[in-house]
Amino acid sequence: MAVYPESETDRRVKADALRDVVSAMFQACGMSMGDAQALADSLVRADLRGIHSHGTLRVPEYVKKLTVDGVNPRGRPRLVSARGAALVVDGDNSMGQIGAAFAMRAAIERAREIGVAFAAVRGSNHCGALDAYALMAVEAGMIGLAGTNALPTMAPWGGAEKIVGINPLSIAFPADKAAAFCLDFAFGATAHGKIRIYAQKGSPIPDGWAFDVDGQPTIDAGAALKGLIQPIGQHKGVGLGMAIGMLSSLLSGAAYGTQSGNMVDGAKVGMDGHFLAAIDVGAFEDPVRFRARVDEIIEEVHASRPAPGTKRLLVPGELEAELEAAYARDGIPLAAATLDGIVAAAAALGLDASRLAR
């Protein structure tokens, strides 16, 4: 993952204070207390783990979805089909975090019975950082997988039109002594939200992240926001992005690609699709031995020889777990623009969040 450069205008905010303010805002949008707290926690947790592209940066956007764009603040996800390991969930146009968490809980419950479960979700919206759902399965002693569609920000390889999403995937494995192995990545070189963070800070983006509107590589965040995200692995990244988008939508009847909206007009509400899967380790292998072997794999990486200039070798999810501990202790560094956006959105709801900006 990218560690965002801190700027002089960043402010450190305690997670609990941030969570309380954001939860109150979502309740003011009509969500129940439980759903508002769950949604707020998902955003604050992303910030704690350094995934600011899916953190409280999105609060004003989510407020607009709930109050203007037509997302149902009281939407109740439901299981509409269950055939063995195959589950279909309708999110009832709720916020994506509500529907995706419901689906992963259902997958975990079914996997406890028969070993594996795959939940296909429709009728949903933006569901935030995917690692949270994969780690739900890990907490149950299982392997977790999560995928979702995304608004198109990439072109087919050699093309210049935004018709393919970066469509992320997360896979998490339980360990014993080590933190869980948790891979969470999209098939673009970056996420649109990450470029927004760099634009907020006035910093250039890393080389290889984006093309401008003419398809030329750029490190200018403003030009990148108007242009295209580069795929990882060239044509391979585009193909994998398409495959995850299809898994996230075609099995449940959700929208795929441009059917879900675009970066100019925004997302069409209630059209997103996701998939959540759980694999019960105990159905295949002794869980204690399995977790010990995951530890061995992680330790092998730690003990291997780094290339010149590299201080540490890490596995997926390790840096995020370290940041979560550090930011919980010292406060989350947030861009002034993110905090100002939260304060303004709160004021529009009749709430005072000015203490966050101090």
Side-chain angles (χ1 to χ4, degrees):
M1 64 167 285
V3 177
Y4 301 104
E6 287 196 41
S7 70
E8 294 180 356
T9 60
D10 282 1
R11 302 165 192 162
R12 290 269 177 172
V13 180
K14 289 296 185 181
D16 287 345
L18 184 61
R19 190 180 293 110
D20 288 346
V21 167
V22 175
S23 175
M25 292 174 66
F26 292 145
Q27 289 178 65
C29 293
M31 297 186 80
S32 68
M33 179 182 293
D35 283 354
Q37 289 175 341
L39 182 57
D41 188 64
S42 75
L43 300 182
V44 174
R45 182 185 172 282
D47 279 330
L48 278 169
R49 291 173 66 82
I51 312 172
H52 298 303
S53 59
H54 290 68
T56 52
L57 163 78
R58 294 186 177 267
V59 168
E61 168 192 335
Y62 280 15
V63 167
K64 182 174 180 290
K65 286 179 181 292
L66 290 162
T67 59
V68 176
D69 293 342
V71 173
N72 184 0
R74 296 277 178 170
R76 303 306 330 143
R78 64 189 185 279
L79 190 63
V80 295
S81 175
R83 295 177 58 188
L87 310 176
V88 179
V89 171
D90 190 301
D92 192 31
N93 191 24
S94 61
M95 287 301 298
Q97 286 88 338
I98 307 304
F102 174 93
M104 181 52 95
R105 287 192 294 269
I108 291 169
E109 182 179 350
R110 183 55 58 94
R112 284 197 180 105
E113 299 174 8
I114 60 176
V116 297
F118 183 104
V121 183
R122 64 174 182 244
S124 190
N125 293 284
H126 189 270
C127 67
L130 291 183
D131 66 335
Y133 312 112
L135 289 171
M136 285 174 64
V138 164
E139 291 170 3
M142 301 184 185
I143 298 168
L145 296 92
T148 186
N149 61 8
L151 287 179
T153 51
M154 297 194 302
W157 188 243
E161 189 173 353
K162 294 179 183 178
I163 63 171
V164 180
I166 61 174
N167 302 335
L169 172 69
S170 182
I171 307 174
F173 293 79
D176 185 13
K177 297 177 183 178
F181 177 102
C182 184
L183 182 66
D184 181 4
F185 71 111
F187 294 99
T190 188
H192 193 265
K194 289 183 179 179
I195 298 175
R196 287 172 60 188
I197 295 292
Y198 277 81
Q200 283 185 344
K201 296 175 181 291
S203 300
I205 62 173
D207 188 31
W209 272 20
F211 299 120
D212 62 19
V213 292
D214 296 319
Q216 299 301 307
T218 183
I219 61 171
D220 181 88
L225 289 173
K226 297 176 182 177
L228 295 159
I229 289 176
Q230 293 191 31
I232 61 171
Q234 300 181 342
H235 64 284
K236 296 177 182 178
V238 174
L240 285 166
M242 291 178 66
I244 295 300
M246 293 162 74
L247 277 174
S248 300
S249 58
L250 302 188
L251 292 173
S252 66
Y256 171 83
T258 56
Q259 297 170 349
S260 63
N262 57 65
M263 296 304 295
V264 176
D265 301 317
K268 297 178 181 178
V269 299
M271 300 291 284
D272 278 8
H274 329 296
F275 69 82
L276 296 306
I279 302 172
D280 185 2
V281 171
F284 297 86
E285 167 67 299
D286 175 66
V288 174
R289 183 164 54 239
F290 179 92
R291 293 193 299 271
R293 294 192 67 190
V294 174
D295 278 351
E296 291 173 0
I297 291 167
I298 293 171
E299 182 53 36
E300 184 177 32
V301 171
H302 290 166
S304 64
R305 180 168 57 89
T310 301
K311 294 182 179 179
R312 300 172 60 202
L313 298 177
L314 302 172
V315 299
E318 196 167 8
L319 179 58
E320 290 85 349
E322 291 179 0
L323 287 175
E324 187 171 9
Y327 290 169
R329 181 187 65 242
D330 303 327
I332 304 168
L334 292 177
T338 292
L339 293 171
D340 291 345
I342 294 172
V343 171
L349 293 168
L351 302 174
D352 182 8
S354 59
R355 65 185 183 276
L356 293 181
R358 294 171 188 155

